[in-house]
Amino acid sequence: MNVQSNLDEVRKSIKSGVKLVAVSKTKPVEAIQNAYDTGHRVFGENKAQELAAKYQELPKDIEWHFIGHLQSNKVKYIAPFVSLIHGVESIKLLKEINKQALKNNRVINCLLQFHIADETTKFGLSYEEAEELLKNPAFATFKNIRIVGVMGMATYSDDKNKITEEFRTLRQIFKKLKNEYFKAEDSFKEISMGMSGDYQIAMEEGSTMVRIGSAIFGARNYNI
Ligand SMILES: *Cc1c(COP(=O)(O)O)cnc(C)c1O
């Protein structure tokens, strides 16, 4: 498995303006360093302690993204340095991110995660739940977080039409939120969607950020 040539191939297939997050979860620091040596700087992890350990070992100009489900009690491990938390879906988690960001004298960028797939195992909000969250009086007091967009995962499927529909739904959610809650905020502009198996479709449907793991680093030893 050659990380550098895989990364090269993937890079060639990414539309201009779309950010590539190389998802290095479960992979050793050597593999990340290999990718880093080609000039890549944006990496994604889904376990807070694993991310904090890798942050310590690797060059400090890496832009670290947390992807997937974050537990409130783990926020403290990544708050000092994380660039973007994909996948926020509760006021409780936002409250904790705000608290830890304040402690570190930072503003932490976050994406709201939406449930667009069939699988009930996947996390995420409905539009109504997102509205509830945004209208919660506590939300307006969180000065150390910035919601910069949305994130979602399509159903794991070979059905291209189905995946297209799900990504299209996320883009519509993004537009509606932008109009109704973030009109004046230029920083609300990200749609994080697309993984190794479906990022081409995601880019066609307006993704601004793709999260790609196995196509770069090879298969993982366990199912996420
Ligand atoms: C693991 C993971 C990815 C990357 O998945 P691949 O199929 O390996 O590209 C993307 N997003 C999230 C939230 C993940 O957990």
Side-chain angles (χ1 to χ4, degrees):
M1 195 38 83
N2 186 329
V3 168
Q4 296 192 340
S5 59
N6 290 347
L7 183 54
D8 233 41
E9 284 308 306
V10 169
R11 239 191 234 127
K12 282 184 206 148
S13 66
I14 302 291
K15 276 193 186 175
S16 83
V18 174
K19 181 172 250 189
L20 170 60
V21 181
V23 176
S24 48
K25 63 190 186 193
T26 80
K27 299 297 177 182
V29 290
E30 291 73 21
I32 302 172
Q33 185 68 50
N34 277 341
Y36 180 91
D37 291 342
T38 71
H40 197 75
R41 292 293 180 269
V42 186
F43 295 91
E45 293 279 336
N46 72 340
K47 296 265 190 297
Q49 279 125 314
E50 184 178 343
L51 172 49
K54 286 173 172 172
Y55 166 76
Q56 289 301 334
E57 282 192 57
L58 285 156
K60 292 298 172 283
D61 62 341
I62 289 179
E63 182 183 316
W64 289 107
H65 290 213
F66 188 90
I67 59 167
H69 192 62
L70 178 60
Q71 290 169 284
S72 298
N73 61 354
K74 304 283 175 68
V75 174
K76 58 178 182 281
Y77 298 117
I78 61 172
F81 64 87
V82 71
S83 286
L84 178 61
I85 299 178
H86 299 232
V88 172
E89 46 152 28
S90 75
I91 197 84
K92 176 172 174 250
L93 180 58
L94 277 176
K95 185 178 176 194
E96 181 63 17
I97 296 170
N98 185 65
K99 181 178 151 193
Q100 296 297 335
L102 180 61
K103 259 193 194 166
N104 287 279
N105 201 17
R106 308 182 63 212
V107 173
I108 296 182
N109 290 331
C110 300
L111 302 175
L112 294 178
Q113 181 166 357
F114 287 87
H115 189 271
I116 53 171
D118 271 352
E119 295 119 314
T120 51
T121 49
K122 285 187 173 144
F123 291 102
L125 301 160
S126 65
Y127 192 82
E128 292 67 33
E129 289 166 336
E131 287 200 298
E132 251 173 62
L133 188 155
L134 295 167
K135 286 176 178 162
N136 187 313
F139 180 75
T141 69
F142 297 160
K143 302 298 184 203
N144 292 72
I145 54 150
R146 187 185 297 119
I147 305 290
V148 299
V150 301
M151 180 268 203
M153 292 166 92
T155 302
Y156 187 77
S157 159
D158 290 332
D159 185 346
K160 187 171 185 258
N161 291 332
K162 182 174 179 56
I163 295 168
T164 301
E165 271 316 304
E166 292 175 355
F167 285 148
R168 201 163 284 173
T169 300
L170 186 60
R171 178 135 188 266
Q172 279 157 2
I173 288 171
F174 168 82
K175 282 187 177 168
K176 198 156 176 242
L177 281 179
K178 174 86 188 163
N179 256 322
E180 295 182 14
Y181 295 92
F182 297 98
K183 211 160 195 157
E185 287 168 56
D186 293 339
S187 55
F188 188 84
K189 60 179 170 43
E190 305 295 351
I191 305 176
S192 167
M193 59 185 188
M195 310 179 17
S196 294
D198 57 20
Y199 72 96
Q200 300 289 1
I201 306 173
M203 289 191 300
E204 282 164 33
E205 295 307 319
S207 171
T208 66
M209 222 176 239
V210 290
R211 312 174 308 269
I212 301 184
S214 44
I216 296 170
F217 294 104
R220 290 173 297 272
N221 286 332
Y222 63 92
N223 270 327
I224 298 292

